[in-house]
Amino acid sequence: MHAKQGDQIVIDTTTLDALRRRGEVIEVMGQGEREHYRVHWQDGHESVYFPGPDARVVSAD
């Protein structure tokens, strides 16, 4: 997965009672396979996120 600043990260879930999460990439950290992101989530908090297999990128373009 590769995202750039301004892209949206969407985390889909297979758990029935868990909601889909969405956030905006505000910083790209690391490189290559170690790339991770500082994300501002829709609920207002911010965190460093290491993407998993349930994540996808929605391009800001």
Side-chain angles (χ1 to χ4, degrees):
M1 182 174 130
H2 174 71
K4 61 186 181 308
Q5 188 174 5
D7 286 349
Q8 296 282 313
I9 291 182
V10 178
I11 304 171
D12 294 312
T13 180
T14 57
T15 306
L16 294 176
D17 61 347
L19 298 175
R20 176 182 293 165
R21 292 180 64 200
R22 179 181 287 264
E24 180 181 349
V25 175
I26 55 176
E27 181 182 1
V28 178
M29 307 163 76
Q31 298 178 40
E33 291 182 20
R34 296 182 181 254
E35 191 170 281
H36 52 287
Y37 309 96
R38 182 172 309 280
V39 178
H40 181 83
W41 298 102
Q42 65 192 22
D43 66 1
H45 83 277
E46 193 176 292
S47 67
V48 174
Y49 178 68
F50 290 80
D54 55 349
R56 62 186 169 93
V57 175
V58 177
S59 178
D61 297 336

